[in-house]
Amino acid sequence: MIAEMSVMTLVGLTKDKDALLDAMQKTFAVQVKSAKEYAFTEPPKAADHEWIKSFEDRIDKCLKIVDGALSELPKEERKEGVIKDGFGASKDEFFAMEKRRGEIEGYVLGIESANRRRAEIKAETSNLEKTLKSYLPYECLERKLSAYSSTKSTVVYIGIIPSDKANGFFAAADGLELVFVENLGQSAAGTVVGAVAFKSAKEKAEETLSAYGFTKLTLSGDVTVNELERQAEWQIEKLKAEDKELSGKLCGYAQKSRDMKLYADYLAFCGEKAEAESKFGVTKAAFVMEAYVPTEDKENVRAALSEISPAVFTEFKSVKRDEFAPTLTHNGKVVRNFETVTNLYSAPAYGALDPNAVMSFFFSLFMGVIMADFGYGLLMLVGGFVFASKQREGTSLNRMAKIFAYGGIFAMIVGALFDSWFGYPLLRTIFGAGSPYNNFYDAHLDAINAMTSVMGVNVPAILLWCLGLGTTQIAVGLVLKAVQDFGRGKIIDGICGGLLWAIGLFAFVVWVFGIATKNDGLANVFLYITLGGIGGGILTAGITEKGFGKITKIFTSAYGLVNYVSDILSYARLYGLMLSGAKIAEIFTYTIAVGMLFPMGVFGVIFGVVVIVVGNLFNLAMNLLGAYIHDARLQYVEFYGKFFEGEGEQFRPLGSSAQRIYFK
């Protein structure tokens, strides 16, 4: 059902504003609305909204940094990880975060500082490793680099000539006067050569060196190349040690992740309050606000506010069902999960009927018909509840997992009825060919061969049952339309536009059943009821219209029969999806594994089991996807199309912005 809403008008002192908003959050029953008619002055900024969002993002980035540091550790060394979203916290802890602002901001600054230094270390280490790599070709130089310095009369060249050009270089250098060359060693980069030229021969020496691809040594100093290598290696080790220390420091912040996430949600609440305050009417000393409050909670809200300050005035006015208000649904533990399906389409309007209780039954039933296998249903039931237990209560994933679990119950029932156990005909195998059960199955339950004659036309019996279920759901939708109209005082509309059509469709189902079972008495009675209900619905379609509309509405209503036929035929998809899934399961399990592989011995049995497991898991995944999509379509189009009024705005109380925690 959809809860009745009231509009609360509150007048309070500006000095109490923040405390009053905190009290409203604790009730989870106040959604602030615009009070522009009370906009005496421009409302002051309650908080820097941009800073709030920016700091929220910084916290999330910091936690990713901590998570990244933890991932660098071996699993056995990870003492504690970053806490996952969806943990519980008390309201006292939540509101205590205001006093811990400096502490949490210190954590953020510490993580950011450590991460920046680690980035610097990474860059410095990379440069040192490149430098170290550049030393390798010159390891053959045993003297200090200063020994290779030029003098007043000579120029010294130390460097590398590509190995394939070395012989040519030495041959060319032999012809130069006042130039002396020496092969100092071999490296992966080429031949290390040394050349000494008198300054008068400098140009000739450089031309020859250049011609043979000479790369000059740029190192200098009163050190050897080996000493430079050791210095670079020491610096790299020092940087790695610092990086390891910083990584450990970052990993230590995992212990603070709970507080940081709690603070991030508190910041989101501060941003929510800032947005709410922009809707207030204010003066220097007082403010006025309006908010939606469920009527059932107004006394709780009034009491919570009066505890903050005696200088607060509240007035509540119920919102009529034909006026706008946000939608708050009240459903049981099971049905509450199916609100997710409806809300994906649209939340019901405030003054409309909540469809979830009825829809949840049909959605689960149709999912069971589509899956139609006991084994698949068992996996859906167990897997759905196990997966839901690992999700935060009330989230979309948590609710969707439970929806599949409830569908699994119906899949087990339908699967047992149609003798499908992971695609294996267990009961037919046990009872054997020619048994009463097998004869009954062949005549009435076989999805392909069990036929029913309707007015001389042979139709698969299961297809007929699926169409019957669809017609029943459409009729129930029309009953809900009537109930909705009755609640609004539109008695004639409810009877003529809802009940008469519903009676006609219910009777139509029984009439077809009577024909299929050759029960002429039943068929004849319900034929007249069908004609009376549908005919009455058509003839009275324009009863509430004015003038010529009373006549034209009859013709448009009669033409609307085509839409009903189309809607009913849409439920043939239940049969098609059930048949395809069942046959694929049967092929994997019964035809391939049991029929072909098992008789081949031990290896055949092993491979057959693999085929059963892999094939059925694939089939289950594909069927679940199809079952959800097509089941939802039947609810949205064929069922909701008869009565549902959407485009509602879900009730979102102040303080519902928390994404990382839930309140204990």
Side-chain angles (χ1 to χ4, degrees):
M1 61 174 287
I2 296 175
E4 182 186 60
M5 284 287 166
S6 293
V7 172
M8 174 184 73
T9 303
L10 179 149
V11 181
L13 299 176
T14 301
K15 67 181 182 68
D16 297 327
K17 181 171 55 178
D18 203 56
L20 289 169
L21 286 169
D22 287 351
M24 292 178 207
Q25 190 271 355
K26 292 178 182 178
T27 67
F28 283 110
V30 179
Q31 178 178 319
V32 178
K33 67 185 292 282
S34 177
K36 292 298 183 184
E37 61 269 32
Y38 301 108
F40 310 116
T41 62
E42 280 296 316
K45 280 191 174 182
D48 187 340
H49 198 75
E50 289 300 320
W51 179 88
I52 287 171
K53 182 60 182 168
S54 172
F55 203 80
E56 255 195 286
D57 292 340
R58 285 173 67 189
I59 289 175
D60 289 335
K61 288 176 183 176
C62 284
L63 291 172
K64 287 180 181 177
I65 291 168
V66 173
D67 206 34
L70 288 166
S71 68
E72 297 171 7
L73 295 175
K75 286 186 178 180
E76 59 272 12
E77 293 184 23
R78 298 178 202 170
K79 297 178 181 178
E80 185 177 6
V82 172
I83 192 169
K84 292 183 178 180
D85 290 349
F87 60 91
S90 68
K91 291 179 181 177
D92 289 340
E93 284 181 289
F94 183 76
F95 286 102
M97 298 312 295
E98 173 62 32
K99 295 180 180 178
R100 299 182 63 188
R101 178 176 297 225
E103 178 187 347
I104 305 300
E105 290 177 5
Y107 298 157
V108 171
L109 291 173
I111 292 171
E112 290 175 337
S113 175
N115 190 56
R116 274 195 305 272
R117 179 56 190 151
R118 288 194 79 194
E120 291 170 0
I121 289 172
K122 185 177 180 181
E124 290 176 28
T125 303
S126 178
N127 289 334
L128 282 168
E129 287 172 344
K130 289 177 183 177
T131 301
L132 186 60
K133 190 175 180 181
S134 72
Y135 295 159
L136 295 177
Y138 300 102
E139 287 180 327
C140 59
L141 302 178
E142 297 179 357
R143 297 179 182 181
K144 292 184 178 182
L145 294 171
S146 57
Y148 303 105
S149 301
S150 300
T151 66
K152 289 182 180 181
S153 57
T154 62
V155 181
V156 177
Y157 302 93
I158 303 293
I160 294 175
I161 296 286
S163 297
D164 59 337
K165 296 180 180 181
N167 291 335
F169 166 72
F170 287 118
D174 282 342
L176 297 175
E177 294 182 357
L178 303 178
V179 177
F180 304 93
V181 297
E182 183 181 352
N183 186 337
L184 299 177
Q186 198 68 29
S187 72
T191 303
V192 181
V193 300
V196 179
F198 283 94
K199 289 190 176 180
S200 60
K202 177 181 176 183
E203 289 187 13
K204 284 287 184 181
E206 290 181 352
E207 285 178 9
T208 304
L209 288 166
S210 177
Y212 287 92
F214 177 75
T215 304
K216 187 178 179 181
L217 171 65
T218 57
L219 303 175
S220 62
D222 198 26
V223 291
T224 65
V225 171
N226 287 335
E227 287 173 341
L228 288 174
E229 285 180 326
R230 286 195 295 273
Q231 286 178 10
E233 288 169 351
W234 176 79
Q235 287 177 305
I236 289 172
E237 289 303 315
K238 184 180 177 183
L239 288 171
K240 285 183 176 178
E242 185 183 355
D243 184 68
K244 186 175 181 180
E245 184 182 344
L246 289 170
S247 176
K249 183 179 178 182
L250 287 173
C251 291
Y253 280 107
Q255 303 172 30
K256 312 296 183 184
S257 60
R258 185 181 188 278
D259 291 341
M260 291 173 71
K261 288 197 172 189
L262 191 57
Y263 184 66
D265 269 350
Y266 178 74
L267 282 180
F269 171 60
C270 290
E272 203 177 345
K273 286 199 294 184
E275 187 177 344
E277 289 181 39
S278 68
K279 300 176 182 178
F280 294 177
V282 297
T283 65
K284 289 183 178 180
F287 73 97
V288 60
M289 63 166 283
E290 289 189 342
Y292 291 109
V293 176
T295 302
E296 63 197 19
D297 288 321
K298 65 181 184 181
E299 293 306 321
N300 292 335
V301 172
R302 196 196 305 271
L305 296 174
S306 62
E307 286 181 9
I308 301 301
S309 170
V312 60
F313 167 80
T314 55
E315 181 182 68
F316 293 87
K317 181 181 178 183
S318 296
V319 181
K320 296 179 181 178
R321 290 293 181 174
D322 58 353
E323 297 176 356
F324 172 81
T327 302
L328 173 64
T329 52
H330 282 325
N331 288 303
K333 189 175 180 180
V334 173
V335 175
R336 192 180 305 134
N337 298 295
F338 290 85
E339 293 173 5
T340 302
V341 177
T342 297
N343 292 338
L344 284 174
Y345 179 66
S346 173
Y350 169 67
L353 192 71
D354 180 8
N356 289 294
V358 177
M359 183 274 288
S360 61
F361 170 76
F362 281 109
F363 193 94
S364 300
L365 173 62
F366 292 164
M367 184 170 285
V369 170
I370 291 171
M371 301 308 294
D373 185 278
F374 186 91
Y376 289 2
L378 184 61
L379 290 178
M380 290 166 62
L381 177 64
V382 176
F385 281 123
V386 169
F387 184 79
S389 68
K390 299 182 182 301
Q391 308 301 315
R392 175 179 167 184
E393 186 67 31
T395 61
S396 295
L397 280 176
N398 173 275
R399 291 186 172 188
M400 290 299 296
K402 290 179 182 177
I403 288 171
F404 283 113
Y406 297 132
I409 297 172
F410 285 87
M412 292 170 67
I413 296 171
V414 177
L417 176 66
F418 290 110
D419 193 25
S420 182
W421 313 74
F422 288 114
Y424 185 77
L426 180 65
L427 299 179
R428 280 171 285 165
T429 302
I430 292 173
F431 290 111
S435 66
Y437 174 80
N438 281 35
N439 292 336
F440 178 82
Y441 182 91
D442 293 339
H444 302 289
L445 299 177
D446 191 298
I448 297 177
N449 299 314
M451 307 297 288
T452 297
S453 179
V454 178
M455 301 178 71
V457 179
N458 285 335
V459 181
I462 305 307
L463 171 60
L464 207 60
W465 278 106
C466 290
L467 296 177
L469 286 175
T471 307
T472 301
Q473 188 188 30
I474 292 172
V476 170
L478 291 165
V479 171
L480 294 178
K481 179 189 183 307
V483 171
Q484 190 166 252
D485 285 339
F486 292 161
R488 295 169 175 171
K490 299 179 179 179
I491 307 301
I492 295 177
D493 285 339
I495 294 173
C496 300
L499 283 185
L500 286 176
W501 283 95
I503 291 169
L505 290 177
F506 281 130
F508 175 72
V509 174
V510 181
W511 173 57
V512 173
F513 177 77
I515 294 175
T517 57
K518 296 180 174 55
N519 188 328
D520 294 338
L522 187 69
N524 289 335
V525 170
F526 279 89
L527 171 61
Y528 290 116
I529 298 175
T530 300
L531 294 174
I534 295 176
I538 292 172
L539 294 174
T540 59
I543 194 168
T544 58
E545 299 292 325
K546 295 180 180 179
F548 195 62
K550 292 181 180 292
I551 306 299
T552 57
K553 193 70 174 179
I554 294 174
F555 291 101
T556 56
S557 181
Y559 182 75
L561 282 173
V562 176
N563 293 330
Y564 278 101
V565 173
S566 174
D567 289 344
I568 292 170
L569 290 176
S570 290
Y571 289 85
R573 71 185 66 237
L574 295 176
Y575 173 71
L577 291 166
M578 177 188 71
L579 187 62
S580 63
K583 285 302 171 186
I584 291 173
E586 184 179 319
I587 289 169
F588 281 126
T589 301
Y590 190 63
T591 305
I592 297 177
V594 177
M596 297 170 60
L597 296 175
F598 282 9
M600 295 170 64
V602 176
F603 289 106
V605 171
I606 294 172
F607 193 60
V609 170
V610 172
V611 169
I612 290 173
V613 173
V614 175
N616 280 288
L617 284 177
F618 171 77
N619 191 35
L620 174 63
M622 296 302 294
N623 274 15
L624 281 175
L625 180 62
Y628 179 80
I629 292 172
H630 290 281
D631 197 348
R633 184 211 176 277
L634 289 173
Q635 310 308 318
Y636 296 158
V637 180
E638 276 70 35
F639 185 47
Y640 283 179
K642 300 298 174 287
F643 71 96
F644 182 71
E645 293 180 9
E647 299 185 5
E649 179 186 300
Q650 286 181 267
F651 179 66
R652 298 191 184 281
L654 184 69
S656 60
S657 59
Q659 297 179 358
R660 302 161 185 85
I661 70 167
Y662 69 89
F663 290 100
K664 293 178 181 178

